Every structure is written in C-alpha cells, then in structure tokens.
Amino acid sequence: MRTLSSLLIMLFLLIWYGEGKKTKLKGIRWWTLANIGKPSNDLRSNTQLYNSPSLLPLTKKQRKLVTQHPGTISALQNGARMAIDECKFQFQNRRWNCPTQDVGNGGPIFGKILEKGNRETAFIYAITSAAVTHSVARACAEGSIYTCSCDYNLKESSGKDWEWGGCSDNAKFGHKFSRKFVDVLEKGRDFRYMMNLHNNEAGRVHVSKEMKRDCKCHGMSGSCAIKTCWMRLPSFRDVGDRLKDRFDGASQVISGNRPNSGRKKKRYKSFQFAPVNPNHKKPGRRDLVYFDSSPLYCEKDISIDFPGTYGRECNASSIGIDGCDLLCCGRGYVSKSFTVRERCSCIFRWCCDVKCEVCTRTKVVHTCK
Ligand SMILES: *[C@@H]1O[C@H](CO)[C@@H](O)[C@H](O)[C@H]1NC(C)=O
C-alpha cells in the first residue's frame, strides 16, 4: 500500500512536471519578426506566404491567420518594434529597464522573464498585444491589409456643426486580430495562462477604448463651414503611459475560483481574480494582474535574463529610482568626465542661414559599479 501511494505520488509529480514544461515559451517568438527585414512581398499567393521563411517564428495557427489576412505581417513587425521601443522608453530609468536580447530567428526577445508571473511580465504581455492591436488597426485604415479597411461604422451621432466622414482607424479589427493572434499561445488552464490572457486583453482595451475624435475643416479658405470627423487611435506613447500607470498600480492576485473546463473563451470569462490584499478592489478589465513578487533587479539573474544594473548610467543628484543610490543598489558608482563639443549661441541670419559657435562643455557621466 505504501509503495502504491508513493508510486501514485511520483506519477502525479511527473504529470505535473510535464504540464509545467508546457508553459515554455513556445510561439511567442513572433516578436522576432521585429528583427527580420521587410518581407519581400506581403501579398504573395497564400501558399507561398504560408511557407515563407519570415513566418518561421510563428506557430501553425498564427501562420494560417496571417495567410488569411495578407498584409498583416508588416503590421506585426511594426507592432513588435513599437512594443519593444515603448517598453524600453517607459522603463529607461528603472532597474529593470526592459532588456532584450538579439536572438536571431529563434528565442524570445524579452527573455525568460516571460515564464514568470510578476509585474514586469504583465507589462510585456499587455504592451505587445496592445501594439498588435494598434498597428493592425492603423494598417487597416491605411489600406495595407487586404481583408479590412477603414471603419465606417463608427457613426454615433453627429454634432451640430460637424458630421461623420473620413476614415476611422479600425480598432475593432485590430482588437479581434490581436486576440486571435496573441491569445492563441495561451493554451493551458492554469493560473499563469489566465493571467496572461487578462493582461493581453487589458493591453488591447487600452487601445480600442481610447479612440479620439479627430476633425478636419472644409470650406472657403479655412472657414470651416463643413467639418468632418472620424475616430483616431490614441498615440502609442499614450498607450504606453497608461499601461505604465497600470503597472505601478498592478494588483497582485490569487485565484478567486477554479477555471472552468470548456472552451478557452468560456474558461477565461468565468475565471475570477481575487486581490491578495482583501482591502484592495477586484482588478478591472484595464488593470494589470500578477502573482509573483518581483526580485530587486540588482544582480545578474539568468533565470529571468536580467543582466543586473552594473554599468548603468545613473543620476547622481536624483533621490528617485534613477538616482545612483537606488539604481546601483548601494554598490556605488564611478564618475567620468568627458569634454563635449557642441554648437551654441546660434544666430539666424537673413536669409537663410544659421551661424553657430562651437562651445566645449564638460559632461560628467555616472555609471553603477
Ligand atoms: C537628475 O535628477 C535631477 C533631480 O531629480 C533632475 O533635476 C535632473 O534633470 C536629472 N538629470 C538628468 C540628466 O536626467
């Protein structure tokens, strides 16, 4: 009896381990599209496109999807680059500064931090699926995807002095496409997948529910007798700023119930997150959620592909996280002075040239030990 139960336990552990293995980063390699040159022709015949080497980082389902919607590859590439740039911009002054690795055509650009479930992981999932939504929605309106166009259905009610017209960004298509393309990677039914799905959707909502009205005047010499308006996406910087706010206020959650069985959508819809701190409110649709606490991000940590803050430039007069004390984790810093020559005292002379002097200035750069 003893041996039987220990055998059962071992069997259970083996299965559990196998399940855990499945959470590996399969398929999210699509971000490596950012590194590949422009596909020579996005709109080749479908079979050619399906088999084209630039689609190798994609899963079968993703490949099928981009083949059904010719033109989306460029939008995806563009989206991947936008997401990486925005992540680096938003985190430039923090210890974790969204490090990426050049992995060629294979591995995950953001590294193994994606296997974790902390705030930073949450942000990466949200910003990347937001970028796909944004980029595809804009590409529709620009006419570079075969199966979508401007959204002409966004006519709520016209105002007194303006009417709907023109070409609205197709956030609806972008949202749907991103959901199909990005969420297809989340296959399990464990908590991590629910977290990823939630953050993916949060990212998308920050794009598709933040459309703004944009208008253009017509009429004699700018008289604005007629004004036509359409809906425009927020700038991706706005999306990044908002998601960064959500990152700062992200909720640490535990499972509020067991995930249902059944189809993914149903499973996700019925799933509930409960805040770890019962005094916090339940996370909403736009909130980012996480379950792992973040490390300090001081030392090199290969389990999350983080290089440490060694050699990072810091601000000696700041008491914030970009200040040398905090950024260098108390290890201290080295200061080096450089002489920089720059143009200064520029004068505009009629007409048309600009005369400047060359000044030399000493610039001090501090870097973490
Ligand atoms: C360094 O920090 C100070 C104080 O917060 C700030 O005024 C200054 O602009 C910062 N310098 C740089 C180069 O960011």
Side-chain angles (χ1 to χ4, degrees):
M1 199 60 208
R2 252 263 190 74
T3 41
L4 186 65
S5 60
S6 59
L7 247 172
L8 274 175
I9 287 172
M10 254 174 68
L11 194 67
F12 172 77
L13 280 177
L14 262 173
I15 291 169
W16 183 70
Y17 179 70
E19 281 286 317
K21 276 251 168 177
K22 266 196 239 150
T23 66
K24 285 285 179 249
L25 305 170
K26 214 176 110 216
I28 43 189
R29 298 183 304 165
W30 69 267
W31 296 320
T32 55
L33 285 176
N35 284 344
I36 300 167
K38 249 199 163 356
S40 53
N41 186 355
D42 236 358
L43 307 173
R44 283 173 299 199
S45 82
N46 282 357
T47 31
Q48 255 182 341
L49 180 60
Y50 186 85
N51 293 318
S52 104
S54 57
L55 298 197
L56 279 181
L58 306 187
T59 66
K60 258 192 193 151
K61 274 192 181 152
Q62 286 177 324
R63 256 187 288 166
K64 214 168 136 200
L65 192 63
V66 298
T67 314
Q68 282 165 351
H69 301 284
T72 43
I73 308 220
S74 293
L76 286 167
Q77 277 193 321
N78 190 22
R81 290 190 192 126
M82 273 164 40
I84 294 166
D85 289 350
E86 191 58 30
C87 183
K88 286 187 182 296
F89 174 84
Q90 293 293 342
F91 287 87
Q92 59 187 330
N93 292 326
R94 298 179 61 101
R95 283 183 192 155
W96 184 80
N97 59 346
C98 201
T100 48
Q101 7 181 323
D102 193 0
V103 282
N105 210 346
I109 283 193
F110 293 101
K112 289 205 271 282
I113 191 160
L114 291 167
E115 295 170 41
K116 306 285 177 200
N118 60 36
R119 269 173 205 265
E120 287 75 16
T121 321
F123 185 86
I124 296 173
Y125 277 88
I127 196 87
T128 44
S129 74
V132 171
T133 311
H134 195 280
S135 176
V136 169
R138 178 62 48 79
C140 286
E142 284 170 355
S144 45
I145 296 177
Y146 263 31
T147 48
C148 62
S149 63
C150 307
D151 191 346
Y152 294 113
N153 295 323
L154 285 174
K155 297 169 184 161
E156 291 141 24
S157 54
S158 293
K160 225 174 21 197
D161 51 350
W162 59 273
E163 55 185 63
W164 287 104
C167 171
S168 296
D169 288 323
N170 200 336
K172 208 168 149 195
F173 186 93
H175 196 119
K176 237 163 94 183
F177 184 87
S178 169
R179 191 179 269 165
K180 282 194 184 146
F181 184 85
V182 180
D183 287 4
V184 77
L185 304 166
E186 307 303 332
K187 291 182 185 147
R189 45 191 66 206
D190 67 2
F191 193 54
R192 176 197 312 280
Y193 287 114
M194 294 301 157
M195 166 185 155
N196 294 346
L197 287 176
H198 178 94
N199 293 324
N200 285 347
E201 182 66 10
R204 287 188 286 264
V205 170
H206 278 273
V207 174
S208 59
K209 301 283 183 219
E210 295 291 340
M211 304 271 284
K212 294 274 172 329
R213 204 170 70 216
D214 204 358
C215 299
K216 198 170 167 182
C217 284
H218 312 274
M220 296 285 273
S221 54
S223 65
C224 213
I226 312 162
K227 206 155 88 170
T228 49
C229 303
W230 63 94
M231 294 301 272
R232 188 171 48 81
L233 290 168
S235 75
F236 201 62
R237 176 55 34 87
D238 275 352
V239 175
D241 288 344
R242 290 209 170 95
L243 285 175
K244 176 63 174 17
D245 285 346
R246 300 288 165 159
F247 168 90
D248 290 328
S251 333
Q252 189 170 20
V253 289
I254 46 175
S255 168
N257 61 351
R258 269 180 66 82
N260 270 0
S261 54
R263 287 170 56 95
K264 179 152 86 188
K265 208 163 169 185
K266 195 173 144 214
R267 221 185 301 150
Y268 171 65
K269 282 228 158 114
S270 63
F271 188 72
Q272 282 171 10
F273 294 104
V276 166
N277 182 336
N279 296 323
H280 290 176
K281 70 172 179 62
K282 254 172 64 179
R285 216 176 152 202
R286 292 172 197 229
D287 289 319
L288 300 189
V289 298
Y290 67 98
F291 56 87
D292 274 340
S293 303
S294 297
L296 288 175
Y297 296 115
C298 286
E299 302 299 321
K300 183 182 164 88
D301 183 348
I302 50 167
S303 78
I304 49 169
D305 288 320
F306 181 68
T309 62
Y310 299 91
R312 287 276 303 280
E313 196 174 322
C314 59
N315 182 336
S317 53
S318 166
I319 51 165
I321 187 68
D322 62 330
C324 293
D325 280 349
L326 286 178
L327 194 72
C328 310
C329 305
R331 294 186 305 258
Y333 57 96
V334 282
S335 308
K336 262 193 188 150
S337 326
F338 296 92
T339 318
V340 285
R341 288 157 67 82
E342 45 190 25
R343 288 166 18 124
C344 58
S345 319
C346 295
I347 303 166
F348 178 74
R349 286 205 309 208
W350 189 263
C351 178
C352 294
D353 95 285
V354 180
K355 273 266 175 303
C356 296
E357 286 168 36
V358 175
C359 308
T360 51
R361 183 170 73 84
T362 314
K363 191 181 169 201
V364 187
V365 173
H366 313 285
T367 49
C368 293
K369 275 194 205 163

PDB file of all heavy atoms in Angstrom, residues 45-75:
ATOM      1  N   SER A  45       1.046  34.795 -53.219  1.00  0.00           N
ATOM      2  CA  SER A  45      -0.014  33.793 -53.120  1.00  0.00           C
ATOM      3  C   SER A  45       0.040  33.161 -51.743  1.00  0.00           C
ATOM      4  O   SER A  45       1.088  33.114 -51.102  1.00  0.00           O
ATOM      5  CB  SER A  45       0.184  32.725 -54.179  1.00  0.00           C
ATOM      6  OG  SER A  45       1.144  31.792 -53.723  1.00  0.00           O
ATOM      7  N   ASN A  46      -1.100  32.684 -51.322  1.00  0.00           N
ATOM      8  CA  ASN A  46      -1.207  32.232 -49.945  1.00  0.00           C
ATOM      9  C   ASN A  46      -0.258  31.105 -49.577  1.00  0.00           C
ATOM     10  O   ASN A  46       0.298  31.092 -48.499  1.00  0.00           O
ATOM     11  CB  ASN A  46      -2.646  31.823 -49.652  1.00  0.00           C
ATOM     12  CG  ASN A  46      -3.506  33.040 -49.422  1.00  0.00           C
ATOM     13  OD1 ASN A  46      -2.997  34.162 -49.423  1.00  0.00           O
ATOM     14  ND2 ASN A  46      -4.784  32.843 -49.226  1.00  0.00           N
ATOM     15  N   THR A  47      -0.078  30.142 -50.485  1.00  0.00           N
ATOM     16  CA  THR A  47       0.804  29.032 -50.133  1.00  0.00           C
ATOM     17  C   THR A  47       2.238  29.518 -50.012  1.00  0.00           C
ATOM     18  O   THR A  47       2.970  29.104 -49.124  1.00  0.00           O
ATOM     19  CB  THR A  47       0.776  27.905 -51.186  1.00  0.00           C
ATOM     20  OG1 THR A  47       0.525  28.485 -52.441  1.00  0.00           O
ATOM     21  CG2 THR A  47      -0.243  26.852 -50.825  1.00  0.00           C
ATOM     22  N   GLN A  48       2.612  30.411 -50.905  1.00  0.00           N
ATOM     23  CA  GLN A  48       3.972  30.950 -50.836  1.00  0.00           C
ATOM     24  C   GLN A  48       4.187  31.676 -49.520  1.00  0.00           C
ATOM     25  O   GLN A  48       5.199  31.512 -48.866  1.00  0.00           O
ATOM     26  CB  GLN A  48       4.180  31.937 -51.974  1.00  0.00           C
ATOM     27  CG  GLN A  48       5.023  31.396 -53.093  1.00  0.00           C
ATOM     28  CD  GLN A  48       5.218  32.469 -54.136  1.00  0.00           C
ATOM     29  OE1 GLN A  48       4.479  33.454 -54.208  1.00  0.00           O
ATOM     30  NE2 GLN A  48       6.219  32.274 -54.955  1.00  0.00           N
ATOM     31  N   LEU A  49       3.189  32.459 -49.178  1.00  0.00           N
ATOM     32  CA  LEU A  49       3.282  33.233 -47.948  1.00  0.00           C
ATOM     33  C   LEU A  49       3.365  32.298 -46.750  1.00  0.00           C
ATOM     34  O   LEU A  49       4.202  32.455 -45.868  1.00  0.00           O
ATOM     35  CB  LEU A  49       2.057  34.147 -47.830  1.00  0.00           C
ATOM     36  CG  LEU A  49       1.987  35.030 -46.583  1.00  0.00           C
ATOM     37  CD1 LEU A  49       3.187  35.951 -46.530  1.00  0.00           C
ATOM     38  CD2 LEU A  49       0.715  35.850 -46.594  1.00  0.00           C
ATOM     39  N   TYR A  50       2.494  31.290 -46.764  1.00  0.00           N
ATOM     40  CA  TYR A  50       2.438  30.360 -45.638  1.00  0.00           C
ATOM     41  C   TYR A  50       3.789  29.700 -45.400  1.00  0.00           C
ATOM     42  O   TYR A  50       4.198  29.494 -44.268  1.00  0.00           O
ATOM     43  CB  TYR A  50       1.374  29.290 -45.917  1.00  0.00           C
ATOM     44  CG  TYR A  50       1.132  28.366 -44.757  1.00  0.00           C
ATOM     45  CD1 TYR A  50       0.240  28.711 -43.749  1.00  0.00           C
ATOM     46  CD2 TYR A  50       1.801  27.151 -44.661  1.00  0.00           C
ATOM     47  CE1 TYR A  50       0.020  27.887 -42.679  1.00  0.00           C
ATOM     48  CE2 TYR A  50       1.585  26.310 -43.588  1.00  0.00           C
ATOM     49  CZ  TYR A  50       0.694  26.685 -42.600  1.00  0.00           C
ATOM     50  OH  TYR A  50       0.486  25.862 -41.527  1.00  0.00           O
ATOM     51  N   ASN A  51       4.488  29.387 -46.492  1.00  0.00           N
ATOM     52  CA  ASN A  51       5.755  28.674 -46.357  1.00  0.00           C
ATOM     53  C   ASN A  51       6.965  29.599 -46.316  1.00  0.00           C
ATOM     54  O   ASN A  51       8.094  29.128 -46.310  1.00  0.00           O
ATOM     55  CB  ASN A  51       5.917  27.690 -47.519  1.00  0.00           C
ATOM     56  CG  ASN A  51       4.888  26.592 -47.434  1.00  0.00           C
ATOM     57  OD1 ASN A  51       4.622  26.074 -46.363  1.00  0.00           O
ATOM     58  ND2 ASN A  51       4.289  26.245 -48.558  1.00  0.00           N
ATOM     59  N   SER A  52       6.727  30.892 -46.315  1.00  0.00           N
ATOM     60  CA  SER A  52       7.873  31.789 -46.428  1.00  0.00           C
ATOM     61  C   SER A  52       8.686  31.768 -45.129  1.00  0.00           C
ATOM     62  O   SER A  52       8.139  31.674 -44.033  1.00  0.00           O
ATOM     63  CB  SER A  52       7.403  33.200 -46.767  1.00  0.00           C
ATOM     64  OG  SER A  52       7.470  34.017 -45.642  1.00  0.00           O
ATOM     65  N   PRO A  53      10.005  31.835 -45.272  1.00  0.00           N
ATOM     66  CA  PRO A  53      10.884  31.711 -44.107  1.00  0.00           C
ATOM     67  C   PRO A  53      10.652  32.796 -43.061  1.00  0.00           C
ATOM     68  O   PRO A  53      10.913  32.585 -41.876  1.00  0.00           O
ATOM     69  CB  PRO A  53      12.288  31.835 -44.690  1.00  0.00           C
ATOM     70  CG  PRO A  53      12.151  32.025 -46.145  1.00  0.00           C
ATOM     71  CD  PRO A  53      10.726  31.987 -46.529  1.00  0.00           C
ATOM     72  N   SER A  54      10.127  33.951 -43.471  1.00  0.00           N
ATOM     73  CA  SER A  54       9.945  35.005 -42.474  1.00  0.00           C
ATOM     74  C   SER A  54       8.839  34.643 -41.488  1.00  0.00           C
ATOM     75  O   SER A  54       8.697  35.278 -40.455  1.00  0.00           O
ATOM     76  CB  SER A  54       9.650  36.343 -43.141  1.00  0.00           C
ATOM     77  OG  SER A  54       8.528  36.254 -43.955  1.00  0.00           O
ATOM     78  N   LEU A  55       8.065  33.609 -41.817  1.00  0.00           N
ATOM     79  CA  LEU A  55       6.999  33.212 -40.896  1.00  0.00           C
ATOM     80  C   LEU A  55       7.427  32.109 -39.939  1.00  0.00           C
ATOM     81  O   LEU A  55       6.629  31.623 -39.151  1.00  0.00           O
ATOM     82  CB  LEU A  55       5.764  32.750 -41.674  1.00  0.00           C
ATOM     83  CG  LEU A  55       5.108  33.784 -42.553  1.00  0.00           C
ATOM     84  CD1 LEU A  55       3.712  33.345 -42.927  1.00  0.00           C
ATOM     85  CD2 LEU A  55       5.021  35.124 -41.855  1.00  0.00           C
ATOM     86  N   LEU A  56       8.685  31.705 -40.043  1.00  0.00           N
ATOM     87  CA  LEU A  56       9.146  30.606 -39.195  1.00  0.00           C
ATOM     88  C   LEU A  56       8.935  30.825 -37.696  1.00  0.00           C
ATOM     89  O   LEU A  56       8.662  29.869 -36.976  1.00  0.00           O
ATOM     90  CB  LEU A  56      10.621  30.311 -39.469  1.00  0.00           C
ATOM     91  CG  LEU A  56      10.868  29.441 -40.692  1.00  0.00           C
ATOM     92  CD1 LEU A  56      12.347  29.193 -40.875  1.00  0.00           C
ATOM     93  CD2 LEU A  56      10.119  28.118 -40.561  1.00  0.00           C
ATOM     94  N   PRO A  57       9.069  32.055 -37.200  1.00  0.00           N
ATOM     95  CA  PRO A  57       8.860  32.212 -35.762  1.00  0.00           C
ATOM     96  C   PRO A  57       7.404  31.992 -35.337  1.00  0.00           C
ATOM     97  O   PRO A  57       7.121  31.984 -34.148  1.00  0.00           O
ATOM     98  CB  PRO A  57       9.259  33.667 -35.487  1.00  0.00           C
ATOM     99  CG  PRO A  57       9.970  34.137 -36.686  1.00  0.00           C
ATOM    100  CD  PRO A  57       9.499  33.310 -37.831  1.00  0.00           C
ATOM    101  N   LEU A  58       6.510  31.860 -36.279  1.00  0.00           N
ATOM    102  CA  LEU A  58       5.096  31.759 -35.908  1.00  0.00           C
ATOM    103  C   LEU A  58       4.656  30.312 -35.724  1.00  0.00           C
ATOM    104  O   LEU A  58       5.243  29.398 -36.288  1.00  0.00           O
ATOM    105  CB  LEU A  58       4.230  32.401 -37.000  1.00  0.00           C
ATOM    106  CG  LEU A  58       4.556  33.825 -37.399  1.00  0.00           C
ATOM    107  CD1 LEU A  58       3.501  34.348 -38.349  1.00  0.00           C
ATOM    108  CD2 LEU A  58       4.659  34.711 -36.188  1.00  0.00           C
ATOM    109  N   THR A  59       3.609  30.120 -34.969  1.00  0.00           N
ATOM    110  CA  THR A  59       3.028  28.788 -34.863  1.00  0.00           C
ATOM    111  C   THR A  59       2.158  28.540 -36.091  1.00  0.00           C
ATOM    112  O   THR A  59       1.866  29.461 -36.847  1.00  0.00           O
ATOM    113  CB  THR A  59       2.117  28.672 -33.620  1.00  0.00           C
ATOM    114  OG1 THR A  59       0.989  29.530 -33.815  1.00  0.00           O
ATOM    115  CG2 THR A  59       2.844  29.075 -32.348  1.00  0.00           C
ATOM    116  N   LYS A  60       1.724  27.307 -36.235  1.00  0.00           N
ATOM    117  CA  LYS A  60       0.883  26.949 -37.382  1.00  0.00           C
ATOM    118  C   LYS A  60      -0.359  27.823 -37.444  1.00  0.00           C
ATOM    119  O   LYS A  60      -0.730  28.332 -38.487  1.00  0.00           O
ATOM    120  CB  LYS A  60       0.452  25.493 -37.244  1.00  0.00           C
ATOM    121  CG  LYS A  60       1.234  24.555 -38.129  1.00  0.00           C
ATOM    122  CD  LYS A  60       0.545  23.207 -38.130  1.00  0.00           C
ATOM    123  CE  LYS A  60       1.467  22.168 -38.740  1.00  0.00           C
ATOM    124  NZ  LYS A  60       1.220  20.832 -38.194  1.00  0.00           N
ATOM    125  N   LYS A  61      -1.007  27.978 -36.296  1.00  0.00           N
ATOM    126  CA  LYS A  61      -2.255  28.750 -36.276  1.00  0.00           C
ATOM    127  C   LYS A  61      -2.003  30.206 -36.629  1.00  0.00           C
ATOM    128  O   LYS A  61      -2.785  30.831 -37.327  1.00  0.00           O
ATOM    129  CB  LYS A  61      -2.898  28.663 -34.890  1.00  0.00           C
ATOM    130  CG  LYS A  61      -3.772  27.451 -34.741  1.00  0.00           C
ATOM    131  CD  LYS A  61      -4.606  27.549 -33.476  1.00  0.00           C
ATOM    132  CE  LYS A  61      -5.470  26.305 -33.321  1.00  0.00           C
ATOM    133  NZ  LYS A  61      -5.770  26.017 -31.922  1.00  0.00           N
ATOM    134  N   GLN A  62      -0.897  30.735 -36.121  1.00  0.00           N
ATOM    135  CA  GLN A  62      -0.574  32.125 -36.438  1.00  0.00           C
ATOM    136  C   GLN A  62      -0.295  32.279 -37.924  1.00  0.00           C
ATOM    137  O   GLN A  62      -0.709  33.242 -38.556  1.00  0.00           O
ATOM    138  CB  GLN A  62       0.636  32.576 -35.626  1.00  0.00           C
ATOM    139  CG  GLN A  62       0.329  32.822 -34.163  1.00  0.00           C
ATOM    140  CD  GLN A  62       1.560  33.197 -33.371  1.00  0.00           C
ATOM    141  OE1 GLN A  62       2.650  32.688 -33.633  1.00  0.00           O
ATOM    142  NE2 GLN A  62       1.393  34.059 -32.389  1.00  0.00           N
ATOM    143  N   ARG A  63       0.421  31.293 -38.466  1.00  0.00           N
ATOM    144  CA  ARG A  63       0.735  31.362 -39.891  1.00  0.00           C
ATOM    145  C   ARG A  63      -0.534  31.330 -40.730  1.00  0.00           C
ATOM    146  O   ARG A  63      -0.661  32.031 -41.720  1.00  0.00           O
ATOM    147  CB  ARG A  63       1.644  30.190 -40.286  1.00  0.00           C
ATOM    148  CG  ARG A  63       3.073  30.639 -40.477  1.00  0.00           C
ATOM    149  CD  ARG A  63       3.906  29.529 -41.030  1.00  0.00           C
ATOM    150  NE  ARG A  63       4.134  28.520 -39.996  1.00  0.00           N
ATOM    151  CZ  ARG A  63       4.604  27.307 -40.247  1.00  0.00           C
ATOM    152  NH1 ARG A  63       4.882  26.949 -41.479  1.00  0.00           N
ATOM    153  NH2 ARG A  63       4.813  26.468 -39.272  1.00  0.00           N
ATOM    154  N   LYS A  64      -1.469  30.486 -40.300  1.00  0.00           N
ATOM    155  CA  LYS A  64      -2.723  30.388 -41.026  1.00  0.00           C
ATOM    156  C   LYS A  64      -3.447  31.735 -40.982  1.00  0.00           C
ATOM    157  O   LYS A  64      -3.970  32.208 -41.988  1.00  0.00           O
ATOM    158  CB  LYS A  64      -3.595  29.306 -40.381  1.00  0.00           C
ATOM    159  CG  LYS A  64      -4.440  28.569 -41.379  1.00  0.00           C
ATOM    160  CD  LYS A  64      -5.059  27.348 -40.763  1.00  0.00           C
ATOM    161  CE  LYS A  64      -6.517  27.246 -41.180  1.00  0.00           C
ATOM    162  NZ  LYS A  64      -7.295  26.391 -40.295  1.00  0.00           N
ATOM    163  N   LEU A  65      -3.431  32.346 -39.828  1.00  0.00           N
ATOM    164  CA  LEU A  65      -4.122  33.621 -39.653  1.00  0.00           C
ATOM    165  C   LEU A  65      -3.525  34.721 -40.543  1.00  0.00           C
ATOM    166  O   LEU A  65      -4.247  35.447 -41.213  1.00  0.00           O
ATOM    167  CB  LEU A  65      -4.043  34.024 -38.180  1.00  0.00           C
ATOM    168  CG  LEU A  65      -4.933  35.162 -37.740  1.00  0.00           C
ATOM    169  CD1 LEU A  65      -6.400  34.802 -37.899  1.00  0.00           C
ATOM    170  CD2 LEU A  65      -4.635  35.534 -36.294  1.00  0.00           C
ATOM    171  N   VAL A  66      -2.210  34.830 -40.563  1.00  0.00           N
ATOM    172  CA  VAL A  66      -1.625  35.895 -41.393  1.00  0.00           C
ATOM    173  C   VAL A  66      -1.792  35.579 -42.869  1.00  0.00           C
ATOM    174  O   VAL A  66      -1.814  36.484 -43.695  1.00  0.00           O
ATOM    175  CB  VAL A  66      -0.135  36.160 -41.075  1.00  0.00           C
ATOM    176  CG1 VAL A  66       0.053  36.614 -39.649  1.00  0.00           C
ATOM    177  CG2 VAL A  66       0.728  34.962 -41.371  1.00  0.00           C
ATOM    178  N   THR A  67      -1.926  34.299 -43.201  1.00  0.00           N
ATOM    179  CA  THR A  67      -2.162  33.953 -44.599  1.00  0.00           C
ATOM    180  C   THR A  67      -3.577  34.338 -45.005  1.00  0.00           C
ATOM    181  O   THR A  67      -3.819  34.765 -46.130  1.00  0.00           O
ATOM    182  CB  THR A  67      -1.946  32.444 -44.821  1.00  0.00           C
ATOM    183  OG1 THR A  67      -0.741  32.069 -44.176  1.00  0.00           O
ATOM    184  CG2 THR A  67      -1.829  32.116 -46.288  1.00  0.00           C
ATOM    185  N   GLN A  68      -4.513  34.201 -44.070  1.00  0.00           N
ATOM    186  CA  GLN A  68      -5.891  34.590 -44.365  1.00  0.00           C
ATOM    187  C   GLN A  68      -6.022  36.102 -44.496  1.00  0.00           C
ATOM    188  O   GLN A  68      -6.961  36.593 -45.100  1.00  0.00           O
ATOM    189  CB  GLN A  68      -6.819  34.128 -43.234  1.00  0.00           C
ATOM    190  CG  GLN A  68      -7.150  32.662 -43.291  1.00  0.00           C
ATOM    191  CD  GLN A  68      -7.759  32.187 -41.973  1.00  0.00           C
ATOM    192  OE1 GLN A  68      -7.781  32.909 -40.975  1.00  0.00           O
ATOM    193  NE2 GLN A  68      -8.247  30.958 -41.978  1.00  0.00           N
ATOM    194  N   HIS A  69      -5.109  36.831 -43.875  1.00  0.00           N
ATOM    195  CA  HIS A  69      -5.200  38.293 -43.911  1.00  0.00           C
ATOM    196  C   HIS A  69      -3.899  38.878 -44.443  1.00  0.00           C
ATOM    197  O   HIS A  69      -3.080  39.385 -43.665  1.00  0.00           O
ATOM    198  CB  HIS A  69      -5.484  38.842 -42.512  1.00  0.00           C
ATOM    199  CG  HIS A  69      -6.743  38.313 -41.911  1.00  0.00           C
ATOM    200  ND1 HIS A  69      -7.984  38.740 -42.290  1.00  0.00           N
ATOM    201  CD2 HIS A  69      -6.963  37.363 -40.977  1.00  0.00           C
ATOM    202  CE1 HIS A  69      -8.911  38.088 -41.610  1.00  0.00           C
ATOM    203  NE2 HIS A  69      -8.314  37.246 -40.806  1.00  0.00           N
ATOM    204  N   PRO A  70      -3.715  38.793 -45.747  1.00  0.00           N
ATOM    205  CA  PRO A  70      -2.448  39.260 -46.318  1.00  0.00           C
ATOM    206  C   PRO A  70      -2.198  40.734 -45.983  1.00  0.00           C
ATOM    207  O   PRO A  70      -3.126  41.541 -46.027  1.00  0.00           O
ATOM    208  CB  PRO A  70      -2.647  39.070 -47.826  1.00  0.00           C
ATOM    209  CG  PRO A  70      -3.717  38.046 -47.945  1.00  0.00           C
ATOM    210  CD  PRO A  70      -4.625  38.259 -46.765  1.00  0.00           C
ATOM    211  N   GLY A  71      -0.984  41.017 -45.649  1.00  0.00           N
ATOM    212  CA  GLY A  71      -0.628  42.388 -45.285  1.00  0.00           C
ATOM    213  C   GLY A  71      -0.409  42.531 -43.793  1.00  0.00           C
ATOM    214  O   GLY A  71       0.124  43.544 -43.335  1.00  0.00           O
ATOM    215  N   THR A  72      -0.815  41.521 -43.033  1.00  0.00           N
ATOM    216  CA  THR A  72      -0.691  41.674 -41.589  1.00  0.00           C
ATOM    217  C   THR A  72       0.743  41.482 -41.089  1.00  0.00           C
ATOM    218  O   THR A  72       1.068  41.934 -40.005  1.00  0.00           O
ATOM    219  CB  THR A  72      -1.606  40.684 -40.834  1.00  0.00           C
ATOM    220  OG1 THR A  72      -1.519  39.416 -41.451  1.00  0.00           O
ATOM    221  CG2 THR A  72      -3.031  41.154 -40.838  1.00  0.00           C
ATOM    222  N   ILE A  73       1.588  40.827 -41.907  1.00  0.00           N
ATOM    223  CA  ILE A  73       2.945  40.586 -41.405  1.00  0.00           C
ATOM    224  C   ILE A  73       3.692  41.885 -41.163  1.00  0.00           C
ATOM    225  O   ILE A  73       4.342  42.055 -40.139  1.00  0.00           O
ATOM    226  CB  ILE A  73       3.755  39.778 -42.416  1.00  0.00           C
ATOM    227  CG1 ILE A  73       2.951  38.559 -42.764  1.00  0.00           C
ATOM    228  CG2 ILE A  73       5.118  39.408 -41.837  1.00  0.00           C
ATOM    229  CD1 ILE A  73       3.704  37.370 -42.903  1.00  0.00           C
ATOM    230  N   SER A  74       3.582  42.792 -42.122  1.00  0.00           N
ATOM    231  CA  SER A  74       4.257  44.080 -41.928  1.00  0.00           C
ATOM    232  C   SER A  74       3.717  44.776 -40.692  1.00  0.00           C
ATOM    233  O   SER A  74       4.471  45.385 -39.931  1.00  0.00           O
ATOM    234  CB  SER A  74       4.047  44.984 -43.135  1.00  0.00           C
ATOM    235  OG  SER A  74       4.711  44.446 -44.234  1.00  0.00           O
ATOM    236  N   ALA A  75       2.405  44.688 -40.508  1.00  0.00           N
ATOM    237  CA  ALA A  75       1.801  45.325 -39.332  1.00  0.00           C
ATOM    238  C   ALA A  75       2.319  44.675 -38.057  1.00  0.00           C
ATOM    239  O   ALA A  75       2.568  45.360 -37.058  1.00  0.00           O
ATOM    240  CB  ALA A  75       0.287  45.240 -39.412  1.00  0.00           C
TER     241      ALA A  75
END
